[in-house]
């Protein structure tokens, strides 16, 4: 992660006051909400909303999340939530980094692994890969 | 509400630290979660869980909530969440009062009005009334 | 509420997928989050953010909420969250109505009563009234 | 993680219906709430509640979470949330595994790394280590 990620999507999100806990910072679980919301907005923009996936019998499922908390956000803060996307066989890896409003100070760095359940079974993910073709960075290119 | 409610159910709930906001008190929206959780636990005990209702084509829907915040809860606190139940035609009124751990200091007093959607239309609520017959206080008895 | 409210603020909010429950609709408690977020954004725009209030020793506290659920929102929906504001002595009444994206279909109608705790005691609310003077509808004008 | 963890604490937690999303399963972010709630209950039992830490100028901060989702929970389910604890210098690693009600089927496996901020600076964690001495598994013992 030392080299610059080639982000394919970014979304500004403003902290809602109720997401800030008694210590004055956004509670760690809320970042998973921000990450999910960013993924879903990205998917919608890519032309494959979660509603559509469901209609096609596809269920994207979160298998693994690795998240590092680097700095914190508080009341009234806005963040920039960015996505880079990789495919590793049947697994899609969303590299999701959240920055402070300046776009520079890193707040959270995460890798979210998604698999596609197709009609009840682990799928090969080809339908999803097709929808995201323009955004996926080949793994051998890393 | 000056006279003592005839509560038919009570549930102790412990505050989870993430429910406490930056002012050191449980955020107002979380009380709706506590009230819903208490209703669902009560329904399950009464032999009519929400899963069963769904299977029977019944969807209980919240129509109205009137909630007064009287005192606050903070980190580590436990509450006693109590229910009294009335029926008014097709509407079920859950009188839901939350007390501090001593069972005496009132924290929240709420009236939650539920209607039953049966197969997509507003139902008369007879199936639900039957399940809750032992718990419902007749309205003319007030 | 039959006559048109004179709304003084409106905020579009998009439903986040995790706010939608198993029945496919936004869970009732999340509307309190939307209402709070709208109030805080409004306050910030009016020049009196919650952070500033805290610094001045003012703590706005929710005393009462009356909320009617008229229709529902689901995955991918956007709402328009509107505010009208009245003062009744020490109490500020936020009339908060949420509409569907068309701005016409009502989703939720709520009255949220806020009091101001000033240095630990119930305050007269004059500092808040001053900040909101341009937005408050006199009660005798109703 | 092939060998049996030596758990030092376990807490049964019942799923609340509002934690279940439109796909009928507990949303991934809620597991971070369960993990946090379990840690806090454990700390309280160990005699060092988060309120006490705060009073002593200690702020435990989540630095990193690695979480694998193995199976899902739905409406009405109860889970068993277990903790094993390791120390690695200034870092405390909470190994937190959630099982289904049978205590056997794994639902989530997580490693949560906590550091201690003491009076605004990264601390050595000795005060926390002392409180948890009876529970910490030496790292060289792995």
């Amino acid at each position: 992660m030392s080299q610059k990620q080639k982000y394919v999507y970014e979304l500004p999100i403003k902290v809602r006051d109720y997401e800030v806990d008694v210590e004055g910072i956004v509670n760690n679980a809320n970042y998973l909400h921000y990450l999910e919301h960013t993924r879903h907005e990205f998917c919608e923009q890519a032309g494959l909303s979660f509603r559509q996936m469901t209609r096609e019998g596809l269920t994207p499922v979160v298998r693994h999340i690795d998240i590092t908390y680097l700095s914190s956000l508080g009341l009234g803060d806005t963040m920039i939530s960015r996505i880079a996307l990789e495919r590793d066989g049947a697994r899609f890896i969303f590299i999701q980094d959240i920055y402070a409003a300046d776009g520079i100070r890193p707040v959270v760095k995460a890798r979210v692994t998604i698999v596609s359940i197709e009609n009840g079974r682990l799928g090969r993910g080809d339908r999803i890969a097709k929808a995201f073709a323009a955004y996926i960075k080949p793994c051998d290119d890393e």
Side-chain angles (χ1 to χ4, degrees), chain A residues 8-13 16 33-53 81 83 94 96 132 135:
Chain A
V8 293
Y9 182 73
E10 73 173 39
L11 182 72
I13 303 176
R16 296 179 183 172
H33 285 319
Y34 300 147
L35 298 179
E36 180 184 289
H37 183 55
T38 310
R39 287 197 305 278
H40 291 203
E41 290 293 296
F42 165 66
C43 290
E44 200 173 298
Q45 182 208 264
L48 189 64
S49 75
F50 273 50
R51 268 180 304 179
Q52 279 173 289
M53 291 189 204
S81 177
I83 286 179
F94 286 76
Q96 298 196 253
F132 294 150
Y135 304 100

Side-chain angles (χ1 to χ4, degrees), chain A residues 71-85:
Chain A
S71 62
S72 55
L73 294 173
L75 289 181
D77 285 345
T78 295
M79 71 200 85
I80 314 289
S81 177
R82 293 175 174 143
I83 286 179
L85 183 55

